């Protein structure tokens, strides 16, 4: 054993030596503090993105994106920039001290500890719709049809920091206001805690349903989520697809032709000038313009002329750009070479008031919008609108094909609005008096003012633009947010990004690719380390991804229905074409079904013959709920037209109508004696009324949109689902008898067992809960389906039958809660399922009107009965991880 000769000194030394693991957090915090103090204001603060870097305070991103190489400070690009004095730029104060540089070096040398990102719980589509619904609830019902939403959820799930996400928010805010004819700048409003769901009001930008539907025509990621929450959002906003991705919008609506269409710009420059109250010819003739001519614009390959006019919104600039002249000119006069008309220094006048006007090839118009931001227009020599300018004349090195594109290229270049340029033409004319006639020289001096004056005019426009831009939340910067985000969207996708866009974790997406030939064919490269897929291939194959992964129905932008009279939304955002079944009710023998159809009809359908026996016509919007009377002679339907109707199924005639709802009637039921109807709607009202006349008995505010109703066997009470809540309602007194709490998603289906005293409730997250009617309030909760449950049925106080959007029907024993038997014949989301009276079969229907029987006799016979009925009491969650 070794003894220290100086034990006190050894103890003090031990106290001063901090273990390496204890030093690591200190090193990381010191490094982060240095970066925050000296680099953050340009590289992340409020979304700033100088140099394309907006994550300088995120140590993990610095390592992941190779700005820092752990253990190798001299090979780390970030430290090199700090050491050589270029980061921050030389004119920035205060400067990093030697101690600051040493802190960064020590952190990198130690392996860049603290760089691992904190775990983040992914946000789900259900959470997005919940946030949207909660936001819509804060608006007056009439105002909801104007609300639209942009999401950054997939970027959040891909691990982008809040600083990076803020750049996207800035880009979105700048773009929507740059597509606006309103006089006021309005920033999109975040409606969720993570600020990934951003709301706009169409009225803020003078948009309407036509503009929104034009956007949707180009939208490649539209998936119609088959959940109650998504349906409620569509009904409230009067839009089939009111929620879209913000990054796609920024990268697409900033580029022609969508850019022009959202701004509603005409097809030629002359019409645009009339719209802006600009008469360019008269202004030139009356010398009311400011011109600047020069070489070396940085965009144009040859000389360029800028020309400013006053407009109704403030200013209107246009450029004259020129072809590069050939080396040999054929035009001569008396043997002398004539000056090329594409040379503005030889021909500074035009395109009017000149005998020899310059010959331009086209140009760009930059004009102030009513809110002070700028819009852009590209035109050829004939003033016809162009989506892209010819590369031979102007170019944009930031675009993949180097072509200047209307919108995004202009924003990328004109970061300050107008780029002040000193005029060179006036000095040229003054110094070469012999080259110009006196009258022409006088006109040149009138049109091309002294450079001091023209620069002052330009600076005034720059100042006005900066003030307007600041209102969007963005700042004037060399790295403009719209073009920056466009470039990032267009980049190749890695595994993390692709998985987040499809709504999966990276490891889960790899498993799905491994199991699917379709996915492997399109995106198999993502399985290899560092593998990527191009954005074009990803968009091209997105429909296949949706179908293969059963994510929902693909939205088709060309199938929008009629709009409301005021053009603020669709008359029926839920209307569907073809064989679309929204719900079905079956006769006891399973031979016929009453089908709620998306085409506004109610269908009396023969199951075995797979044909319509009758079509009950009268609803003026899609039908979403149906019920049969106990004797099977009458049917009831609920529609988005706000009515519940009773039909004589023998004659096909309507016999009664209830008009007490405002909007979608989403649930209907008969009482067992057939005398009363119970209906619920997305207006939050549940009502009971006479089935013979439609006369209302009573109503109740359910507190949220009603999604399902079921009447008890004795006809005294009704089980009502409203939002995430379920309650038992006394039909005679109107009082709530009991509530059934616990669901964390919208409840989609409810059932009361006719004989066994059992209640079942199911929700959008695939959970089913079983309750005893006379129990103590507890429930058995089971994750039974991978998608929303659409139907639940009970039999003999024991058997539970559920149908889901995951395309399966499942049967399980509610007493023993064993693994369910699964029926998988459906090729579309299943909307309804029922036990037949024979006790040995079930029947189910899907959205495509596929109707299938299922023999369950052997399943029931093979399941031994438990010793005694056990009513569920204490909460017990029994999830099936892979239903």
């Amino acid at each position: 054993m070794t003894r220290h000769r100086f034990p006190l000194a050894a103890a003090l030394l031990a106290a001063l030596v901090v273990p390496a693991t204890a030093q690591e957090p200190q090193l990381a915090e010191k490094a982060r503090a240095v970066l925050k103090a000296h680099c953050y204001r340009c590289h992340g603060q409020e979304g700033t993105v100088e140099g394309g870097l907006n994550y300088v305070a995120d140590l993990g991103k610095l390592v992941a994106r190779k700005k820092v190489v752990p253990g190798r400070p001299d090979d780390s690009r970030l430290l090199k920039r700090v050491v050589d004095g270029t980061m921050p730029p030389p004119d920035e104060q205060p400067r990093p001290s030697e101690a600051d540089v040493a802190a960064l070096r020590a952190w990198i040398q130690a392996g860049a500890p603290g760089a691992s990102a904190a775990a983040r719980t992914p946000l789900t589509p259900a959470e997005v719709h919940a946030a949207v619904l909660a936001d819509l609830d804060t608006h007056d019902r009439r105002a909801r049809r104007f609300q639209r939403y942009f999401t950054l959820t997939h970027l959040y799930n891909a691990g982008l920091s809040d600083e990076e996400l803020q750049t996207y928010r800035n880009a979105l805010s700048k773009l929507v206001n740059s597509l606006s004819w309103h006089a006021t700048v309005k920033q999109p409003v975040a409606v969720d805690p993570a600020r990934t769901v951003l709301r706009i009001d169409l009225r803020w930008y003078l948009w309407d349903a036509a503009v929104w539907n034009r956007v949707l025509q180009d939208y490649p990621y539209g998936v119609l989520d088959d959940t109650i929450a998504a349906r409620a959002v569509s009904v409230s906003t009067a839009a089939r697809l009111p929620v879209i991705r913000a990054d796609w919008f920024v990268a697409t609506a900033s580029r022609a032709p969508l850019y022009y269409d959202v701004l509603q710009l005409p097809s030629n420059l002359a019409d645009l000038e009339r719209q802006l109250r600009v008469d360019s010819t008269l202004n030139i003739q009356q010398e009311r313009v400011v011109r600047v001519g020069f070489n070396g614009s940085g965009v144009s390959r040859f000389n360029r002329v800028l020309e400013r006019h006053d407009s109704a919104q403030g200013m209107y600039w246009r450029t004259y750009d020129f072809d590069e002249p050939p080396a040999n000119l054929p035009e001569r006069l008396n043997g002398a070479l004539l000056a090329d008309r594409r040379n503005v220094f030889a021909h500074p006048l035009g395109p009017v008031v000149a005998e020899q006007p310059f010959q331009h090839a086209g140009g760009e118009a930059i004009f102030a919008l009513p809110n002070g931001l700028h819009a852009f227009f590209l035109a050829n020599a004939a003033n016809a609108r162009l989506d892209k300018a010819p590369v031979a004349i102007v170019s944009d090195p930031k675009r993949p094909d180097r072509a200047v594109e209307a919108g995004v290229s202009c924003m990328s270049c004109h970061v300050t609005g107008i780029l002040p340029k000193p005029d060179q033409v006036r000095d040229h004319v003054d110094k070469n008096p012999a080259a110009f006639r006196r009258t022409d020289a006088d006109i040149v001096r009138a049109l091309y003012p002294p450079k001091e004056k023209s620069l002052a005019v330009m600076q005034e426009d720059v100042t006005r633009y900066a003030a307007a831009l600041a209102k969007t939340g963005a700042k004037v910067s060399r790295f403009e947010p719209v073009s920056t985000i466009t470039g990032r969207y267009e980049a190749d996708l890695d595994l993390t990004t692709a998985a987040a866009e499809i709504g999966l974790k990276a490891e889960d997406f790899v498993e799905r690719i491994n199991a699917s030939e379709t996915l492997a064919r399109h995106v198999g490269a993502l399985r290899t380390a560092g593998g990527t897929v191009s954005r074009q291939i990803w968009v091209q194959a997105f429909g296949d991804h949706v179908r293969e992964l059963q994510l929902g129905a693909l939205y088709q932008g060309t199938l929008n229905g009629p709009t409301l009279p005021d053009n603020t939304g669709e008359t029926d955002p839920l209307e569907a074409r073809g064989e679309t079944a929204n719900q079905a009710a079956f006769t006891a023998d399973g031979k016929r079904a009453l089908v709620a159809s998306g085409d506004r009809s109610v269908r009396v359908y023969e199951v075995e013959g797979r044909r319509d026996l009758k079509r009950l016509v009268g609803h003026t919007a899609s039908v979403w709920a149906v019920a049969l009377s106990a004797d099977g002679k009458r049917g009831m339907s609920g529609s988005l037209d706000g009515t519940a109707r009773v039909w004589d199924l023998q004659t096909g005639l309507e016999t009664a109508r209830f008009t007490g709802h405002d909007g979608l009637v989403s649930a209907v039921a008969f009482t067992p004696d057939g005398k009363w109807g119970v209906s619920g709607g997305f207006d939050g009202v549940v009502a009971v009324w006479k089935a013979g006349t439609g006369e209302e008995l009573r109503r109740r505010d359910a507190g949220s949109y009603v999604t399902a109703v079921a009447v008890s066997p004795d006809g005294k009470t009704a089980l009502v689902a409203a939002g995430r809540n379920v309650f038992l309602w006394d039909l005679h007194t109107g009082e709530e008898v009991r509530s059934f709490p616990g669901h964390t998603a919208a409840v989609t289906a409810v059932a009361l067992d006719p004989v066994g005293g059992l209640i079942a409730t199911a929700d959008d997250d695939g959970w089913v809960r079983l309750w005893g009617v006379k129990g103590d309030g507890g429930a058995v909760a089971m994750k039974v389906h991978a998608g929303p449950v659409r139907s639940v049925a009970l039999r003999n106080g024991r058997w539970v039958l559920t149908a889901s959007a995951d395309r399966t029907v499942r049967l399980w024993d509610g007493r023993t809660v064993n693994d369910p038997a699964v029926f998988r014949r459906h090729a579309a989301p299943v909307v309804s399922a029922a036990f037949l009276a024979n006790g040995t079969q079930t029947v189910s229907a899907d959205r495509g009107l596929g109707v299938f029987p299922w023999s369950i006799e052997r399943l029931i016979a093979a399941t031994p009965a438990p010793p005694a009925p056990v009513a569920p009491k204490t909460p017990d969650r029994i999830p099936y991880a892979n239903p």
Side-chain angles (χ1 to χ4, degrees), residues 184-518:
T184 304
V185 169
K186 286 279 193 177
Q187 294 186 33
V189 177
V191 302
D192 66 317
R195 300 195 299 152
T196 64
V197 183
L198 305 165
R199 169 177 48 82
I200 66 166
D201 187 311
L202 296 177
R203 296 171 294 183
W204 291 350
Y205 314 112
L206 299 185
W207 296 356
D208 56 20
V211 172
W212 187 254
N213 287 338
R214 172 61 188 91
V215 171
L216 295 181
Q217 285 179 15
D218 289 355
Y219 189 55
Y221 304 111
V223 178
L224 300 176
D225 196 343
D226 194 20
T227 63
I228 292 293
R231 195 181 306 163
V233 168
S234 288
V235 170
S236 295
T237 58
R240 198 176 299 264
L241 197 65
V243 183
I244 64 174
R245 283 174 41 174
D247 60 333
W248 171 86
F249 179 81
V250 169
T252 310
S254 64
R255 299 166 52 219
L258 186 56
Y259 173 79
Y260 288 140
D261 292 346
V262 175
L263 265 173
Q264 303 171 70
L265 298 184
S267 60
N268 62 79
L269 199 61
D271 287 342
L272 174 65
E273 290 179 351
R274 277 190 286 272
Q275 183 176 331
L276 299 176
R277 303 288 298 274
V278 172
D279 188 332
S280 58
T281 300
L282 185 63
N283 287 346
I284 293 171
Q285 290 172 341
Q286 296 186 358
E287 299 172 0
R288 297 189 304 215
V289 302
V290 172
R291 273 190 179 175
V292 177
F294 49 87
N295 273 319
S297 72
V299 175
S300 175
R301 294 172 60 87
F302 196 45
N303 44 211
R304 194 176 216 193
V305 174
L306 308 182
E307 181 178 276
R308 186 191 189 280
H309 302 254
D310 289 326
S311 76
Q313 281 76 42
M315 65 80 172
Y316 166 80
W317 286 87
R318 67 166 297 179
T319 72
Y320 299 97
D321 294 310
F322 300 84
D323 291 315
E324 188 171 0
N328 296 312
L329 281 173
E331 293 186 69
R332 292 179 177 273
L333 181 64
N334 299 326
L337 187 67
L338 292 177
D340 195 301
R341 290 173 57 197
R342 288 164 286 199
N343 181 358
V344 72
F345 291 92
H347 297 278
L349 299 178
V352 294
V353 298
E355 293 182 8
Q356 292 290 320
F358 54 64
Q359 180 182 310
H360 69 290
E364 172 190 27
I366 310 168
F367 56 94
L369 294 165
N371 59 20
L373 294 172
H374 291 173
F376 308 91
F377 189 102
L378 301 181
N380 62 16
N383 288 337
R385 194 177 79 182
L386 297 174
D387 292 350
K388 293 183 178 182
V391 178
I393 301 174
V394 290
S395 62
D396 178 2
K398 296 179 182 178
R399 299 302 299 148
D401 57 1
R402 298 185 64 84
V404 170
E405 293 188 70
V408 65
S409 295
C410 309
M411 293 181 192
S412 174
C413 177
H414 294 276
V415 294
T416 60
I418 295 300
L419 301 177
K421 288 281 189 179
D423 172 59
Q424 299 170 354
V425 170
R426 184 187 178 101
D427 284 349
H428 170 75
V429 171
D430 286 343
K431 292 178 180 178
N432 296 278
F436 300 93
R437 294 185 304 176
R438 178 177 295 179
T439 55
D440 287 346
D442 288 342
I443 296 173
V444 167
R445 294 186 186 95
L447 299 179
Y448 295 80
K451 66 182 65 176
E452 296 79 13
K453 180 178 178 180
S454 59
L455 286 171
V457 171
M458 290 180 168
Q459 189 57 50
E460 289 176 3
D461 290 339
V462 167
T463 302
R464 280 192 289 267
Y465 174 75
L469 182 64
K471 294 176 183 178
T472 70
K475 297 178 179 178
V476 172
S477 164
R478 289 190 303 113
F479 285 83
E480 187 275 330
V482 172
S483 55
T484 298
I485 294 310
T486 299
R488 292 188 179 180
Y489 169 81
E490 293 173 337
D492 293 347
L493 288 77
D494 60 15
L495 175 61
T496 299
T497 304
E501 290 197 10
I502 213 71
L504 296 172
K505 294 180 179 178
E507 56 271 23
D508 294 336
F509 193 30
V510 170
E511 287 184 12
R512 300 292 188 94
I513 296 172
N514 292 338
S516 167
E517 291 185 7
T518 299

Side-chain angles (χ1 to χ4, degrees), residues 847-882:
R847 281 221 182 277
L849 205 53
V851 182
F852 298 101
W854 183 19
S855 176
I856 59 172
E857 185 173 11
R858 286 190 304 167
L859 297 171
I860 292 176
T863 306
V870 179
K873 294 184 181 297
T874 57
D876 183 17
R877 298 172 70 86
I878 309 175
Y880 293 100
N882 297 294

Side-chain angles (χ1 to χ4, degrees), residues 62-94:
L62 293 175
V63 172
R65 298 178 187 177
K66 298 180 173 54
K67 305 297 183 184
V68 166
V69 183
R72 293 157 54 188
D74 292 335
D75 295 329
S76 298
R77 294 164 61 191
L78 177 73
L79 184 63
K80 287 181 179 180
R81 293 282 310 277
V82 173
V83 171
D84 67 19
T86 59
M87 185 174 179
D91 57 343
E92 289 285 332
Q93 297 292 333

Side-chain angles (χ1 to χ4, degrees), residues 115 195 243 271 309 346 420 446 450 521 568 603 609 657 672 682 802 844-845:
R195 300 195 299 152
V243 183
D271 287 342
H309 302 254
R521 182 169 60 251
T568 56
R603 306 167 72 168
R657 182 186 304 184
F682 275 19
T802 55
S844 51

Side-chain angles (χ1 to χ4, degrees), residues 663-674:
L664 175 64
V665 179
S666 50
V668 294
F670 282 101
T671 56
D673 59 11

